[in-house]
Amino acid sequence: MSFPEGWERLGEGPTWDPPADLRQPTQVWVHNLVVSMLSSEYLGNTSVSLVGAVLTQYAEFNAWVTAEGKRTLGARELLERAGTLDTLTGRAYEAWTAFRTRYEAEGRKVGAAEQERLALNATLRSIAAELEALRKPDERGTTG
């Protein structure tokens, strides 16, 4: 299939293909990741708060698209920003998996996998900020 100039990226398919464990219980990958993270016993209060911030920004992005984004952005830019959601979800999943794997390997002890926990928190903070930026019409809405 050929695409108009500048739209070629759309032929590449999803930016990130989620693993099987993020395809249920719902069809919304972000929701499934959040459920997985919050239903674990591993997260401290800071991480739980940051997961909440990511979910809030995700919901606000979707509300913005419906109310304003469709009016202020072209179809191409909306699709690019939607693709960014996949990339951000992938980054969160990778950070979560790295923390969970290390934490379990270290016997689920208090203070275990501290470096991975800090990296997870930094990733969640960054993702929340990037999701917020996606709602700004003057921003490209892409991740670096």
Side-chain angles (χ1 to χ4, degrees), residues 16 22 29 33 84-95 127:
W16 179 71
L22 287 189
W29 307 337
L33 178 58
T84 299
L85 293 175
D86 295 347
T87 301
L88 296 175
T89 303
R91 282 181 37 211
Y93 181 79
E94 289 168 9
I127 289 170

Side-chain angles (χ1 to χ4, degrees), residues 45-124:
N45 291 327
T46 299
S47 300
V48 168
S49 176
L50 291 168
V51 169
V54 167
L55 184 58
T56 297
Q57 291 302 327
Y58 174 80
E60 289 183 7
F61 171 77
N62 284 318
W64 172 83
V65 165
T66 301
E68 185 180 339
K70 288 181 179 178
R71 288 185 297 108
T72 60
L73 300 176
R76 178 177 168 213
E77 190 163 18
L78 281 172
L79 287 170
E80 286 177 354
R81 290 180 189 213
T84 299
L85 293 175
D86 295 347
T87 301
L88 296 175
T89 303
R91 282 181 37 211
Y93 181 79
E94 289 168 9
W96 163 240
T97 301
F99 167 69
R100 183 183 63 202
T101 301
R102 181 69 180 258
Y103 189 79
E104 289 173 351
E106 292 184 10
R108 300 181 180 191
K109 299 175 187 168
V110 173
E114 189 59 24
Q115 184 176 6
E116 289 79 5
R117 179 188 312 273
L118 293 173
L120 172 62
N121 288 348
T123 299
L124 293 172

Side-chain angles (χ1 to χ4, degrees), residues 18 22-32 58 86:
L22 287 189
R23 294 183 183 268
Q24 342 182 21
T26 75
Q27 294 183 1
V28 182
W29 307 337
V30 173
H31 293 176
N32 297 339
Y58 174 80
D86 295 347

Side-chain angles (χ1 to χ4, degrees), residues 2-26:
S2 64
F3 291 90
E5 185 175 331
W7 288 64
E8 296 84 3
R9 180 174 165 229
L10 298 178
E12 297 172 6
T15 307
W16 179 71
D17 191 32
D21 60 328
L22 287 189
R23 294 183 183 268
Q24 342 182 21
T26 75

